[in-house]
Amino acid sequence: MEIAASRMTDQAFPIMNADILAEEHARLHARPVDRKTVGSPFVKNPRMTCRNVDVFYGEKQAINKVSIDVGQNQVLAMIGPSGCGKSTFLRCLNRMNDTVSSCRVEGKVCLDGIDIYGPAIDVVPLRARVGMVFQKPNPFPKSIYDNVAYGPRIHGLTRDKNELDEIVQTSLVKAGLWEEVKDRLREPGTGLSGGQQQRLCIARAIAVSPEVILMDEPCSALDPIATARVEELIAELRAQYAIVIVTHAMQQASRVSQRTAYFHLGDLIEVGPTEKIFTNPGHKLTEDYITGRFG
Amino acid sequence: MKASHLLVAGSLSLFMVSPAFAARDYISIVGSSTVYPFATVVAEKYGKTSSTKTPKIESTGSGGGFKLFCGGVGVDHPDITNSSRAIKDSEIKTCADNGVKEIVEVKIGYDGIAVANAKTAPQFKLSRKDLFLALAKEVPDPKDPAKLIANPYKTWKDVNPELPANTIEVLGPPPTSGTRDAFVELVMETGADTLEAMKALKKADKKAHTKATQTVREDGAYIEAGENDNLIVQKLQSNPNALGIFGFSFLDQNGDKVQGSSIEGKLPTYDAIADGSYPVSRPLFFYVKKAHVEVIPGMKGYLAEFASEKAWGKEGYLADKGLIAMPDAERKEMAESVADLKVMEGK
Amino acid sequence: MNSPEPVNTMTTRPSLLEPGKNLKKRYRTDLWFQRIGITAIFLSLAFIALLFFQIISEGYTAFIQTNILLEVEFSEQAFAKENLATADYPGLIKKSLTDTFPEVKSRNGKKLLFSLVSSGAAYKLQEMVEANPKIIGTRQKMWVAAASDVDMLMKNKIDRKAPEENRRLMDNQLAWLDILKSQGRLEKQFNQTFFTTGDSREPELAGILGGVKGTALTLFITLTLAFPIGVAAAIYLEEFAPQNHWTDLIEVNINNLAAVPSIIFGLLGLAIFINFFGLPRSTPIVGGLVLALMALPTIIIAGRASLKSVPPSIREAALGIGASKMQTITHHVLPLAMPGMLTGAIIGMAHALGETAPLLMIGMVAFIVDIPGAITDPAAVLPVQIYLWADSPERGFTEKTSAAIIILLAFLMTMNSLAIYLRKKFEIKW
């Protein structure tokens, strides 16, 4: 990590002399002394609230006292350089980190006021309410219909086939895929194009009526046209859901999100309205990152 | 979790489907691989002509057979064991310790061991002394008979000037085989006794004598060819210089490919073995657990079939398979003892 | 570097038209490697071809059988008694033969004549009469099996020119056979017996069905035990077991078990299943249990490998939607891992199929005539049948041995094709 970052620095400042380089390096890689996040992490009507969240992998601390709210009908974009912990943090929100045995989460993460790490909490209904879309499209090797119907089936959301058909249709309509696949619902989901697969995964996530949708770099494996379709879709979905998206593309963050959070080495450096972050960042690190001085 | 529990439970329940197999409706026979070809023929004939099931016969070797046989009384243990030698005292004792007290001994006939070579080569005229000198690991030094030296003989001519100058090359059974045991006992030991030096050794140091007479050379002149006698027959055909050691039944079946060598002037023929003039022959037996005769269906029938003239008689079907029948009087006596289930006297 | 024109400072730049020495050497190495590989493949194919040629050329004759056409009179007198089983069936055969060759009068001559027909012919008559008692009182023409020696003669495996005393067939027997042959009453026909009967000590009556059925029953037990247990163990170790020294120890030992000599499993089976649980010797249930123990490590290792090969994205997808761990495994991971698991299971089974050593210990190397009908009946399996026939003195068993090997190979090929078929059928692309 250190080496990788320093190499990146080399490329960013090819004409710097060694002294300046070392100084710059030290500045970028020192933990900010003042850990207080710039900007207000809180919103008026939060769907999820995170307070002082620490995440450890074994001995190593990956997330450091992060507090942030996820607002209803909002897209919260999380940006930051590789390894900054944004994906780790995202995965805390529906406890996907549980599958990693060495991972430990401290602090409070609440969904509608209930601590999801509480002792009485079952992850199965939690994941139904906080859905997730992954970096690489990962439809099940089943038919399009079964992909979407899988969630409702295991959660017992429908009483008969007609209801299930309806859920599948509405989910696919919401995901903007219905018109393209309505005649071939029985064909394998893996036969679709990359962008269609990712929208199928979104349809699969919304079929169980979640309240929050987490997206982990959903467009990184897609071409620009497919990316544009998914971004449009995110904008439409905002009307009904709270959305958290992790992205590498700052342009994408500025296009789809209302709020943006900047992570750096496990710290939440700055959070605020997207417009403000991209036009008038409050922290030097944020500014360096969005102006492309390192990344 | 449920599915995995079901899988495990299902598999376990399969293990449990083993109620006590109280009854056994077929005869279980174990024992010698030499007697096996004869016992199986009787079993098959009996199974086809009676309403009971065909007996099951395992070829475990004589020693292995006694071990199983003497394991105890009950359906878990075999009813009959075949043997190419008489039961040993130690085995009788093991049997008795495990509750097998009444054993019926049945002698079924004789088997000869042939030393044969390919038909394409000249027939050998051997003596047991020649065989001992050719095959023992250590033989008395021709210059100083009191001393044992590593076998120096390379060709048959070295052993006996009357024999051809072929390299000594003998294919024979491995030490696990009953045929090997019999060969050592009947040929090597008697062959050694013809030598003055060995006789002297017998008196002086019994242990050294036993070792010298029972150890076969390991320098390539004796080739262990495995238990499969058919293989020896095949190898003899491809190598006319080699001799092979195997049971008479294999010689009988392959008379067009191999020829038996004469030993002490006697050829291994049916008649010579039957009248005892061919020196390398041994009796074959089977032993019956009397306690099982009334319990296991078909036991009496099987015994009667085996002890019938059409089976073990001179013209019987076992003779066709190479078994050498006992003399008439002995056969008659044995048949009576089978009919009465005469229990062996403790030795 | 600032000069606008490219300056050719690199004198050693490789020419495109004349490749240098170094390049030629590299290509030569490639070529050599290819040649060695092709030679290796060619050699192994040649050996397999030789093996197959050897076995098939030796064994195909076992599928045909010399039969003799007899005209048998089922006279009323012969069946005077109530019980059909006690009738003198060999007598009927003998009468038919003496009717054909009335000139044979001497006792010895008759014996030689009768020995031309297999002893199984009498059993055939018995079966016929028991199946249809109406044939009593009629004359029937029927093909019966010739004795093995006659069969060997017809297949040119006995030398007619050898001196009489060294031949299993006498001169007058040859003469009778020539007469029968000229009358069209001696023919080589398809050997049905071989596929419909169990073992026998008479080569012409010996069949493979007992071995095939014993093998099928044994493998059935092996599969029903080893597959579920192996899959469950693989799933537990791969998906649930905590990573600690105990699981490491278990993993190492499973790998060790896969390399344990098979006879050890036989000893284990003898000690546990027969001596401790009291299961009957020589039966498919014990054989199946022992072979299941043998196949388990292979199945577990293959199972774990195929579970590992399922992409983590599929697990994440299922978990992310709220599937429980078990649902994730049974709905998504297992179906994707199944082709690999099935392949592993069938390879393990095929391996077990060829084993005789462990079966020796549990008494399955036995002469068993009756065809097993249940898992607790005594049974032989194919490799054991091959072993027993290879060891029989009668000449006729040589071809039977090769034929049994052909059947075993066919069994193995069927299992492997099944594996390929199942893999293709269940294989899911993602």
Side-chain angles (χ1 to χ4, degrees), chain B residues 16 69 78 82 94 104 272 298 300 308 324 333 339:
Chain B
M16 299 307 164
F69 180 78
N82 299 319
T94 318
V104 181
K300 278 195 169 154
S308 68
I324 315 293
E333 194 189 324

Side-chain angles (χ1 to χ4, degrees), chain B residues 37 44 56-58 256 321, chain C residues 200-201 281 367 394-395:
Chain B
E44 187 182 347
K56 178 197 91 185
I57 304 180
E58 279 177 58
D256 56 340
K321 290 283 173 190
Chain C
S200 169
R201 282 313 312 289
R281 273 177 81 84
F367 176 69
E394 289 82 1
R395 183 79 58 84

Side-chain angles (χ1 to χ4, degrees), chain A residues 5-291:
Chain A
S6 73
R7 206 181 54 228
M8 277 189 277
T9 321
D10 287 348
Q11 288 162 348
F13 310 104
I15 45 173
M16 270 190 175
N17 68 38
D19 286 350
I20 302 175
L21 202 84
E23 197 182 291
E24 187 71 18
H25 183 264
R27 192 177 63 80
L28 285 172
H29 290 85
R31 278 244 153 78
V33 185
D34 176 19
R35 287 216 184 110
K36 205 169 163 278
T37 305
V38 175
S40 168
F42 309 123
V43 296
K44 256 186 208 148
N45 52 343
R47 201 78 232 205
M48 296 191 84
T49 54
C50 309
R51 294 292 176 268
N52 291 331
V53 175
D54 286 325
V55 181
F56 300 89
Y57 287 113
E59 292 299 304
K60 196 175 164 274
Q61 185 161 14
I63 294 288
N64 189 13
K65 293 274 180 295
V66 167
S67 299
I68 194 168
D69 283 352
V70 179
Q72 178 66 9
N73 301 342
Q74 259 191 358
V75 177
L76 169 63
M78 301 203 288
I79 57 172
S82 293
C84 69
K86 53 194 191 304
S87 280
T88 303
F89 185 70
L90 186 78
R91 282 161 173 261
C92 290
L93 300 181
N94 71 342
R95 292 182 60 176
M96 279 301 276
N97 281 334
D98 287 14
T99 52
V100 183
S101 59
S102 65
C103 181
R104 200 171 83 244
V105 179
E106 285 170 9
K108 252 189 158 183
V109 181
C110 296
L111 174 65
D112 294 340
I114 299 162
D115 185 0
I116 63 169
Y117 284 91
I121 297 298
D122 192 327
V123 293
V124 168
L126 169 71
R127 287 180 190 152
R129 290 176 62 183
V130 183
M132 188 150 185
V133 176
F134 296 86
Q135 185 171 0
K136 198 178 152 232
N138 57 353
F140 298 131
K142 296 174 190 280
S143 72
I144 295 169
Y145 182 93
D146 287 336
N147 259 289
V148 183
Y150 181 71
R153 273 192 188 130
I154 58 169
H155 292 296
L157 297 182
T158 55
R159 276 164 308 184
D160 56 40
K161 180 128 186 359
N162 290 338
E163 276 186 36
L164 191 61
D165 287 349
E166 208 180 306
I167 288 186
V168 170
Q169 183 174 351
T170 40
S171 306
L172 285 169
V173 169
K174 278 185 194 168
L177 197 59
W178 176 252
E179 287 303 320
E180 293 159 59
V181 301
K182 64 181 178 191
D183 301 324
R184 43 175 180 151
L185 288 175
R186 295 291 158 197
E187 283 173 32
T190 44
L192 298 173
S193 75
Q196 288 174 321
Q197 286 191 14
Q198 195 60 299
R199 279 181 283 144
L200 178 63
C201 292
I202 293 171
R204 184 176 65 191
I206 57 186
V208 290
S209 335
E211 292 147 40
V212 182
I213 300 176
L214 309 177
M215 297 185 176
D216 189 355
E217 300 182 31
C219 300
S220 65
L222 304 184
D223 64 54
I225 294 169
T227 303
R229 287 285 284 125
V230 172
E231 284 178 8
E232 267 171 43
L233 176 57
I234 294 171
E236 285 162 24
L237 292 174
R238 182 167 71 92
Q240 288 172 31
Y241 307 97
I243 295 173
V244 185
I245 178 169
V246 164
T247 178
H248 259 129
M250 279 172 284
Q251 295 301 314
Q252 183 172 60
S254 67
R255 280 194 299 266
V256 300
S257 72
Q258 284 71 53
R259 288 169 77 225
T260 299
Y262 174 66
F263 282 74
H264 186 85
L265 294 176
D267 289 311
L268 176 56
I269 303 295
E270 182 168 0
V271 57
T274 302
E275 211 170 310
K276 181 181 176 295
I277 297 276
F278 281 96
T279 52
N280 185 17
H283 197 287
K284 184 79 171 68
L285 282 169
T286 319
E287 192 187 333
D288 286 349
Y289 183 71
I290 59 172
T291 53

